[in-house]
Amino acid sequence: MSTTLFEPKRRAVTTDDLGNIVLAAKQGTPVLVRDVAEVRIGAAPPQGATLRNGETVSGTVIMLKGENGKALIERVKAKIASLHLPQGIKIVPFYDQSFVIDGTIHTVEKNLLEGFILVTVVLLLFLGNTRAAVITASIIPFSMLISFLGMRLYGISANLMSLGAIDFGMIVDGAVVMMENSVHRLEEKHGQESPLESVRQAAYEVARPMTFAVVIIIAVYLPILFLHGLEGRMFRPMAITVCAALFGSLLLALTMIPMLASFSFRKGLPPKLAQRQEQGWMARMNAGYARLLTRAMDHHTLTVVSSLAVLAIALGSLFFIGTEFMPRLDEGSILVETRKLPGVSLTDSVEISKLVEQRVRSFPEIQDVVIKIGRPDFATEAMGINEGDTYLLLRPTKDWKRFHNKADLIAALDKETEHHPRCSVQLHATDGHAH
């Protein structure tokens, strides 16, 4: 009986191990890998490329979850400024998300300021008293302060999604009711009871219905808190912020408004205001409303049928409107996606992308073009060498001459690139990309 012992296979670990691999044998003489090739450690085959007026090197800053984007970008800029680069080498950013962040903050600040001014002017017109309008409008900044506390409690940052849905009209609803009833009772009970007692009784009269009204508005936003996925991450901060602002407005309307009203009108209303009679457009508006209300009450069947008809039309319109729940955030630039045949080489992919770059650079509205092909060494994007992202950096809209908006520019670019013979091209405005 004979026994054959098999030596276990060894793995190639070093370059010498690879060189000693037998490829073939001629008359008992082995032909090794090192006999036909040079075995050495070299660079990994490239899986991507970056073009910007020729091939270049690009880098991407990846933000950790929960970081402050604005603060991170400032730290990155400070670090880049402190680098001592070799002569002839420079770092030129092609996508800076701080422009989007700054633009968003500016939009939020502008909308909040304009909303505050508008609400104050409307209150002044309808309340007819400067002190009453100022007191009522003062609830807005204090309610915003309470909403900021709620945002801080839940770790929500101030951005377009969290603050963009705040409606100052809803915030001052309770305060308007409280102030209007206080002024009305001060007029009605002028000389019969003290101003402090008039304000106190006016607050008692409207506290309960006003609370129920605000709670109903808050209840409308509660389902948003139970959204999941991307919708939940985007809209839950908005719901929390609005609910916190409404809760703050209710608390302030029940406490701060009566206190300020009693202090402001501690001597009662001025004689002219106490004896005021509604005149002009307000009187005509009230008279018209009274006539319409009387007719509606006298013809209750027609009123109910008309209301049901309006409801049916509103429900029917749902079949003709879009159902997209996600908003579009315009980040200012345009992203062109190119796809070649899956078996294309990296060299051919680069040459095809250069042709695309030449076509889109012919538009004077485009300031610069950067193309990223494939994936970087650290595979943050799962793209093959047959795929590429082309970033079109636009000039300010005020400098455009041929197009009035971005949609027209995208349509022209689509027409220019749709007949490319060696790849398919898709264009869309960047929304939500963070590179």
Side-chain angles (χ1 to χ4, degrees), residues 43 64 68 85 118 156 174 191 193 227 251 286 335 356 363 375 425:
L64 298 177
N68 185 304
L85 301 174
L118 178 61
I156 299 173
E193 61 185 13
L227 292 175
L251 181 64
N286 287 338
L335 177 65
V356 175
F363 288 77
R375 62 174 178 82
V425 181

Side-chain angles (χ1 to χ4, degrees), residues 385-403:
I385 58 177
N386 64 309
E387 299 174 291
D389 287 341
T390 303
Y391 295 89
L392 308 183
L393 311 182
L394 306 180
R395 301 184 188 277
T397 309
K398 60 182 179 63
D399 297 333
W400 292 10
K401 297 180 180 180
R402 297 190 301 168
F403 305 102

Side-chain angles (χ1 to χ4, degrees), residues 22-36:
V22 178
L23 296 177
K26 295 293 185 180
Q27 300 179 355
T29 303
V31 179
L32 307 180
V33 171
R34 67 168 180 261
D35 296 331
V36 298

Side-chain angles (χ1 to χ4, degrees), residues 177-178 180-182 184-186 188-189 193 197-211 254:
V177 173
M178 181 66 71
E180 177 64 25
N181 198 52
S182 299
H184 175 71
R185 189 174 181 90
L186 286 169
E188 188 180 46
K189 301 296 182 179
E193 61 185 13
E197 184 63 22
S198 295
V199 173
R200 180 185 292 114
Q201 293 300 325
Y204 288 157
E205 291 174 357
V206 299
R208 183 174 179 179
M210 184 182 68
T211 301
L254 294 173

Side-chain angles (χ1 to χ4, degrees), residues 11 33 86 93 96 102 186 223 226 244 277 282 290 300 339 402:
R11 293 187 302 171
V33 171
D96 187 349
D102 293 338
L186 286 169
F226 299 97
Q277 297 293 329
M282 182 63 73
H300 54 274
R339 290 182 175 87
R402 297 190 301 168

